[in-house]
Amino acid sequence: MRPPGLPVRVSQQDLPSRVTIWEVGARDGLQNESAVLPAATKIELIERLAACGLPVVEATSFVRPDRIPQLADAADVMAGLHRLPGVRYPVLVPNARGLDAAVGVGVDEIAVFVSATDSFARRNLGRPMASQMEMTAPVVAQARSLGLGVRGYVSMCFGDPWEGVVEPARVAEVCAELLAAGCTGLSLGDTIGVATPGQVRALVDLLGTRGVPMDSVGVHFHDTYGQALANTLAALTSGVATIDSSAGGLGGCPYAESATGNLATEDLVWMLDGLGIETGVDLAALVDTSAWIADRLGRAPTSRVVQALAR
Ligand code: MG
């Protein structure tokens, strides 16, 4: 039986009136799905997500095909995509070669990624944390010189499987390096989903006291331990108004044996709707899209809202 309607709107004074949802399902989500989809299906997914009213649809990643076979068709996807006016389609770019390929297919916004811990930098980037900006800064500079926006993803901002709790001051230093390199935005990643709301407020508030503009800060939560929405609310009350999420909860958690990874966009929209916060997203259309792509992947969506509403 379907519920009687959408949540009752009860606005809160200490929250933003509008939130930008940064949809990562087509990139971060599919990257962590084992079933490989054809480029045409990915293009349809991205176009449907944009048509749902999502303002930012991260589209793909220009990484080495042998590292992530799922995204080996990045250039084909971007070349085949019909882009809606007013919607942003950033792509992840790890290095100069990736940037060249992205620019070659008309990308106007990229994202780079670094780690807040040395252990993860060595595993994911193949170099110590101390030298990660030597690889990343030239890519940021080149992209900025071409007029591209650049988002800096920071992994392991709250906890790390090898190092345990991550201190906010260390994350703030990495954020400062990214901004000094020219990044126009940040995404604070809880890569293994262990953060709790007090940690989130501590980090965001620290960034605020160090002069980081809140309109440049996004948060990227994973629901591995069921904390993603609580952490989102904590970030909102600290002044963050850009939230990363993944349609249907696409993408498992790559560093834990859990089916639950990215915060699901529908679960986020349900909460924001209830708080009277504008997102521009058509929830029913998004639920249909997530049910459709889950079918293509041959598995059920992890989003609670999709499970509750999908026909
Ligand atoms: Mg993620």
Side-chain angles (χ1 to χ4, degrees), residues 28 220 222 262:
D28 184 21
H220 186 112
H222 287 176
N262 290 308

Coordinates of all heavy atoms in Angstrom, one line a residue, residues 28 220 222 262, ligand 1:
D28 N 30.1 7.7 -9.2 CA 30.5 7.0 -8.0 C 29.7 5.8 -7.8 O 30.2 4.7 -7.3 CB 30.4 8.0 -6.8 CG 30.8 7.4 -5.5 OD1 31.6 6.5 -5.5 OD2 30.4 7.9 -4.4
H220 N 29.8 14.4 1.5 CA 29.6 13.1 0.8 C 29.6 12.0 1.8 O 30.6 11.5 2.3 CB 30.8 12.9 -0.2 CG 30.7 11.8 -1.1 ND1 30.5 11.9 -2.5 CD2 30.7 10.4 -0.9 CE1 30.4 10.7 -3.1 NE2 30.5 9.8 -2.1
H222 N 28.3 8.2 3.4 CA 27.9 6.9 3.1 C 27.1 6.3 4.2 O 27.3 6.7 5.4 CB 29.1 6.0 2.9 CG 29.8 6.3 1.6 ND1 31.0 5.7 1.2 CD2 29.5 7.1 0.5 CE1 31.3 6.1 0.0 NE2 30.4 7.0 -0.4
N262 N 26.6 4.8 -0.8 CA 26.3 6.2 -0.9 C 24.9 6.5 -0.3 O 23.9 5.7 -0.5 CB 26.2 6.6 -2.4 CG 27.6 6.7 -3.0 OD1 28.5 7.3 -2.5 ND2 27.8 6.0 -4.1
Ligands
MG1 MG 30.6 7.6 -2.5

